[in-house]
Amino acid sequence: MKNKVKRYRQFSEMTQSQLADLIGVSRQTIHAIEKEKYVPSTVLALKLSRELKVKVEELFTLEIKD
Amino acid sequence: MKAKYLFSHKWKPIGLTLFIIGLTLGTIGVLSSYEPVFLDVRVPDFFGNSSFLNNGSSSETGWPQMRKNNLFDEIALSLLLIGGLLSILAKEKNEDEMIMKLRLESLLWSAIVNGILIFITVWLIYDLDFYFVMITELFFFYLLFILRFNFVLMRQKKLVDEE
C-alpha cells in the first residue's frame, strides 16, 4: 500500500513527533508508516486522515500487489 | 489499540532482573550441582507412587508421600519462568499497534526457532542428556524472544534517530 503521509505531514508543517503525539503512537510508528514498512490499522489510518485534514483514500492507495 | 494480556511497563525491568538472576542460578546449578544445605526441605511428592512415573517401585504408602528435596533448582526455574513471562508480557513505554505487531512477530519467530531446536534435540540427543536439554529449551523460548524483540526495537529506534 502506498501512502502520502510524509507529504501531507510536511504540508501541515508538523514533525513526526508532533503527529505521533496527536494520534497517540510512537515516533517510530510514524516513521515506519512513511517508509511504507508498516501498514496502519483502519483506526490509525482514520486518525491520520483526521489530523492531516485529508480523506483517507487520498492518504492511502492500494497497489496491484495488494 | 488496547493491548490485552499485557502488564504495565514497570514490570519489564523487574522481569528482566528476575530472568537474569534465574538464568545465573540455573547455570550455577547445572555446572556445579550446587545445592545449599539450608534449602534442603521435606516436600509433598504427589506423583511419587505413580506407576507411570515411578514404575510403581516405591515402598512408601499414603498420598502424597513426603520426600527430601533441595529447593535450589525450583527457585531458579521459578525465577526464570516468572521473569520470562513478565519480560514478554510487559508493555513498552510507548506501546502502540506497531510495537504489538513486532511483539507478535518475535513470539512467532521464537516459537519457530525453538521448535526447530527441539526437533534437532529429539533426533540427536538421547537418554538423560535429552531431558536436560529439553528442560533448557523450555526457557530458551523466553531468552530467544527477549533477545529478538529488544533487538528489533533497538534497530527501529536507531533508524529513526539516524534521520
Side-chain angles (χ1 to χ4, degrees), chain B residues 110-139:
Chain B
S110 309
I112 292 168
V113 173
N114 206 41
I116 292 169
L117 288 174
I118 291 173
F119 185 81
I120 293 169
T121 304
V122 166
W123 283 95
L124 294 183
I125 301 173
Y126 305 97
D127 300 328
L128 273 178
D129 289 341
F130 173 77
Y131 291 105
F132 167 71
V133 175
M134 283 301 281
I135 290 170
T136 310
E137 277 172 356
L138 276 177
F139 301 96

Short mmCIF file of all heavy atoms in Angstrom, two decimals, chain B residues 110-139:
data_model
loop_
_atom_site.label_atom_id
_atom_site.label_comp_id
_atom_site.label_asym_id
_atom_site.label_seq_id
_atom_site.Cartn_x
_atom_site.Cartn_y
_atom_site.Cartn_z
N SER B 110 10.36 -16.83 17.68
CA SER B 110 10.92 -17.63 18.78
C SER B 110 10.31 -19.03 18.79
O SER B 110 11.01 -20.01 19.04
CB SER B 110 10.64 -16.96 20.13
OG SER B 110 11.04 -15.63 20.10
N ALA B 111 9.00 -19.10 18.52
CA ALA B 111 8.32 -20.41 18.51
C ALA B 111 8.90 -21.29 17.39
O ALA B 111 9.14 -22.48 17.59
CB ALA B 111 6.82 -20.23 18.32
N ILE B 112 9.15 -20.69 16.22
CA ILE B 112 9.69 -21.47 15.09
C ILE B 112 11.11 -21.94 15.40
O ILE B 112 11.43 -23.13 15.25
CB ILE B 112 9.66 -20.61 13.80
CG1 ILE B 112 8.22 -20.38 13.35
CG2 ILE B 112 10.46 -21.29 12.68
CD1 ILE B 112 8.06 -19.33 12.27
N VAL B 113 11.97 -21.02 15.86
CA VAL B 113 13.37 -21.38 16.14
C VAL B 113 13.43 -22.43 17.25
O VAL B 113 14.14 -23.43 17.15
CB VAL B 113 14.20 -20.13 16.52
CG1 VAL B 113 15.60 -20.51 16.97
CG2 VAL B 113 14.28 -19.18 15.34
N ASN B 114 12.61 -22.23 18.31
CA ASN B 114 12.60 -23.19 19.41
C ASN B 114 12.09 -24.56 18.93
O ASN B 114 12.62 -25.60 19.34
CB ASN B 114 11.74 -22.66 20.56
CG ASN B 114 12.15 -23.22 21.89
OD1 ASN B 114 13.33 -23.34 22.17
ND2 ASN B 114 11.18 -23.58 22.71
N GLY B 115 11.09 -24.54 18.06
CA GLY B 115 10.57 -25.80 17.51
C GLY B 115 11.64 -26.55 16.72
O GLY B 115 11.77 -27.77 16.85
N ILE B 116 12.42 -25.81 15.93
CA ILE B 116 13.50 -26.44 15.15
C ILE B 116 14.54 -27.04 16.10
O ILE B 116 15.00 -28.17 15.90
CB ILE B 116 14.15 -25.40 14.20
CG1 ILE B 116 13.15 -24.99 13.11
CG2 ILE B 116 15.43 -25.94 13.57
CD1 ILE B 116 13.57 -23.80 12.28
N LEU B 117 14.88 -26.28 17.16
CA LEU B 117 15.87 -26.78 18.13
C LEU B 117 15.37 -28.05 18.83
O LEU B 117 16.13 -28.99 19.03
CB LEU B 117 16.19 -25.70 19.16
CG LEU B 117 17.02 -24.51 18.64
CD1 LEU B 117 17.13 -23.44 19.72
CD2 LEU B 117 18.40 -24.95 18.21
N ILE B 118 14.08 -28.06 19.18
CA ILE B 118 13.51 -29.26 19.83
C ILE B 118 13.56 -30.45 18.87
O ILE B 118 13.90 -31.56 19.25
CB ILE B 118 12.08 -28.99 20.32
CG1 ILE B 118 12.11 -28.00 21.49
CG2 ILE B 118 11.38 -30.27 20.77
CD1 ILE B 118 10.76 -27.52 21.96
N PHE B 119 13.24 -30.19 17.61
CA PHE B 119 13.28 -31.26 16.60
C PHE B 119 14.69 -31.84 16.51
O PHE B 119 14.87 -33.06 16.48
CB PHE B 119 12.84 -30.68 15.24
CG PHE B 119 12.73 -31.72 14.16
CD1 PHE B 119 11.60 -32.52 14.06
CD2 PHE B 119 13.76 -31.90 13.25
CE1 PHE B 119 11.50 -33.49 13.06
CE2 PHE B 119 13.67 -32.86 12.26
CZ PHE B 119 12.53 -33.65 12.16
N ILE B 120 15.68 -30.94 16.45
CA ILE B 120 17.08 -31.40 16.37
C ILE B 120 17.44 -32.21 17.62
O ILE B 120 18.05 -33.27 17.54
CB ILE B 120 18.03 -30.18 16.20
CG1 ILE B 120 17.80 -29.53 14.83
CG2 ILE B 120 19.49 -30.60 16.36
CD1 ILE B 120 18.48 -28.19 14.65
N THR B 121 16.98 -31.71 18.78
CA THR B 121 17.25 -32.41 20.04
C THR B 121 16.68 -33.83 20.04
O THR B 121 17.33 -34.78 20.47
CB THR B 121 16.62 -31.62 21.22
OG1 THR B 121 17.13 -30.28 21.18
CG2 THR B 121 16.95 -32.24 22.55
N VAL B 122 15.44 -33.94 19.53
CA VAL B 122 14.77 -35.25 19.50
C VAL B 122 15.60 -36.28 18.72
O VAL B 122 15.70 -37.44 19.10
CB VAL B 122 13.36 -35.10 18.88
CG1 VAL B 122 12.77 -36.45 18.52
CG2 VAL B 122 12.43 -34.37 19.85
N TRP B 123 16.24 -35.81 17.66
CA TRP B 123 16.95 -36.74 16.78
C TRP B 123 18.44 -36.90 17.10
O TRP B 123 19.07 -37.84 16.63
CB TRP B 123 16.79 -36.32 15.31
CG TRP B 123 15.44 -36.70 14.80
CD1 TRP B 123 14.32 -35.91 14.76
CD2 TRP B 123 15.03 -37.98 14.34
NE1 TRP B 123 13.26 -36.61 14.28
CE2 TRP B 123 13.66 -37.90 14.00
CE3 TRP B 123 15.68 -39.21 14.16
CZ2 TRP B 123 12.94 -38.97 13.50
CZ3 TRP B 123 14.97 -40.28 13.65
CH2 TRP B 123 13.61 -40.16 13.33
N LEU B 124 19.00 -35.97 17.84
CA LEU B 124 20.45 -36.02 18.04
C LEU B 124 20.89 -36.27 19.49
O LEU B 124 22.04 -36.61 19.73
CB LEU B 124 21.11 -34.72 17.55
CG LEU B 124 21.05 -34.45 16.05
CD1 LEU B 124 21.80 -33.17 15.73
CD2 LEU B 124 21.63 -35.61 15.26
N ILE B 125 19.98 -36.07 20.44
CA ILE B 125 20.40 -36.20 21.85
C ILE B 125 19.53 -37.26 22.53
O ILE B 125 18.31 -37.26 22.37
CB ILE B 125 20.31 -34.84 22.57
CG1 ILE B 125 21.22 -33.83 21.85
CG2 ILE B 125 20.71 -34.95 24.04
CD1 ILE B 125 21.13 -32.43 22.33
N TYR B 126 20.16 -38.14 23.32
CA TYR B 126 19.44 -39.28 23.89
C TYR B 126 19.61 -39.38 25.41
O TYR B 126 20.44 -38.70 26.00
CB TYR B 126 19.91 -40.58 23.22
CG TYR B 126 19.78 -40.52 21.71
CD1 TYR B 126 20.88 -40.17 20.92
CD2 TYR B 126 18.55 -40.72 21.10
CE1 TYR B 126 20.75 -40.08 19.54
CE2 TYR B 126 18.42 -40.62 19.72
CZ TYR B 126 19.53 -40.30 18.94
OH TYR B 126 19.39 -40.19 17.59
N ASP B 127 18.81 -40.25 25.99
CA ASP B 127 18.87 -40.59 27.42
C ASP B 127 18.73 -39.36 28.32
O ASP B 127 17.97 -38.47 28.02
CB ASP B 127 20.17 -41.38 27.72
CG ASP B 127 20.23 -42.67 26.91
OD1 ASP B 127 19.14 -43.22 26.64
OD2 ASP B 127 21.33 -43.08 26.52
N LEU B 128 19.52 -39.31 29.39
CA LEU B 128 19.36 -38.22 30.37
C LEU B 128 19.73 -36.87 29.78
O LEU B 128 19.18 -35.84 30.16
CB LEU B 128 20.22 -38.51 31.61
CG LEU B 128 19.55 -39.37 32.68
CD1 LEU B 128 20.50 -39.63 33.83
CD2 LEU B 128 18.26 -38.71 33.19
N ASP B 129 20.69 -36.89 28.84
CA ASP B 129 21.08 -35.63 28.19
C ASP B 129 19.87 -35.01 27.49
O ASP B 129 19.71 -33.80 27.45
CB ASP B 129 22.19 -35.87 27.15
CG ASP B 129 23.50 -36.21 27.80
OD1 ASP B 129 23.65 -35.91 29.01
OD2 ASP B 129 24.38 -36.78 27.12
N PHE B 130 19.01 -35.85 26.94
CA PHE B 130 17.81 -35.38 26.25
C PHE B 130 16.90 -34.60 27.21
O PHE B 130 16.45 -33.50 26.90
CB PHE B 130 17.05 -36.58 25.66
CG PHE B 130 15.72 -36.21 25.08
CD1 PHE B 130 15.64 -35.59 23.85
CD2 PHE B 130 14.54 -36.48 25.76
CE1 PHE B 130 14.40 -35.24 23.31
CE2 PHE B 130 13.31 -36.14 25.23
CZ PHE B 130 13.24 -35.52 24.00
N TYR B 131 16.66 -35.17 28.40
CA TYR B 131 15.79 -34.49 29.37
C TYR B 131 16.41 -33.17 29.83
O TYR B 131 15.72 -32.17 29.98
CB TYR B 131 15.51 -35.40 30.58
CG TYR B 131 14.64 -36.56 30.18
CD1 TYR B 131 15.16 -37.83 30.04
CD2 TYR B 131 13.28 -36.36 29.89
CE1 TYR B 131 14.36 -38.88 29.63
CE2 TYR B 131 12.48 -37.41 29.49
CZ TYR B 131 13.02 -38.67 29.36
OH TYR B 131 12.24 -39.70 28.95
N PHE B 132 17.73 -33.18 30.03
CA PHE B 132 18.42 -31.97 30.45
C PHE B 132 18.26 -30.87 29.39
O PHE B 132 17.90 -29.73 29.70
CB PHE B 132 19.90 -32.27 30.68
CG PHE B 132 20.73 -31.04 30.81
CD1 PHE B 132 20.63 -30.24 31.95
CD2 PHE B 132 21.59 -30.66 29.79
CE1 PHE B 132 21.38 -29.09 32.06
CE2 PHE B 132 22.34 -29.50 29.90
CZ PHE B 132 22.23 -28.71 31.03
N VAL B 133 18.47 -31.24 28.12
CA VAL B 133 18.37 -30.24 27.03
C VAL B 133 16.91 -29.78 26.87
O VAL B 133 16.64 -28.60 26.63
CB VAL B 133 18.92 -30.82 25.70
CG1 VAL B 133 18.70 -29.84 24.56
CG2 VAL B 133 20.40 -31.11 25.84
N MET B 134 15.95 -30.70 27.06
CA MET B 134 14.54 -30.32 26.93
C MET B 134 14.14 -29.28 27.99
O MET B 134 13.42 -28.33 27.70
CB MET B 134 13.63 -31.55 27.06
CG MET B 134 13.59 -32.41 25.82
SD MET B 134 13.02 -31.52 24.36
CE MET B 134 11.28 -31.55 24.62
N ILE B 135 14.63 -29.48 29.22
CA ILE B 135 14.33 -28.51 30.28
C ILE B 135 14.94 -27.15 29.93
O ILE B 135 14.32 -26.10 30.08
CB ILE B 135 14.84 -29.02 31.65
CG1 ILE B 135 13.98 -30.20 32.09
CG2 ILE B 135 14.80 -27.93 32.71
CD1 ILE B 135 14.49 -30.95 33.29
N THR B 136 16.16 -27.18 29.39
CA THR B 136 16.82 -25.94 28.99
C THR B 136 16.01 -25.25 27.89
O THR B 136 15.84 -24.03 27.90
CB THR B 136 18.24 -26.25 28.46
OG1 THR B 136 18.90 -27.06 29.42
CG2 THR B 136 19.03 -24.97 28.25
N GLU B 137 15.49 -26.04 26.96
CA GLU B 137 14.76 -25.45 25.83
C GLU B 137 13.41 -24.85 26.23
O GLU B 137 12.90 -23.97 25.56
CB GLU B 137 14.59 -26.48 24.71
CG GLU B 137 15.84 -26.54 23.85
CD GLU B 137 15.84 -27.67 22.85
OE1 GLU B 137 14.90 -28.48 22.85
OE2 GLU B 137 16.80 -27.74 22.07
N LEU B 138 12.86 -25.34 27.35
CA LEU B 138 11.61 -24.75 27.86
C LEU B 138 11.80 -23.25 28.09
O LEU B 138 10.91 -22.45 27.83
CB LEU B 138 11.23 -25.39 29.21
CG LEU B 138 10.47 -26.70 29.20
CD1 LEU B 138 10.28 -27.17 30.63
CD2 LEU B 138 9.11 -26.52 28.53
N PHE B 139 12.97 -22.89 28.60
CA PHE B 139 13.22 -21.49 28.93
C PHE B 139 13.98 -20.76 27.84
O PHE B 139 14.07 -19.54 27.84
CB PHE B 139 13.96 -21.42 30.28
CG PHE B 139 13.16 -22.05 31.36
CD1 PHE B 139 13.37 -23.36 31.73
CD2 PHE B 139 12.12 -21.34 31.95
CE1 PHE B 139 12.58 -23.96 32.69
CE2 PHE B 139 11.32 -21.93 32.91
CZ PHE B 139 11.56 -23.25 33.28
#
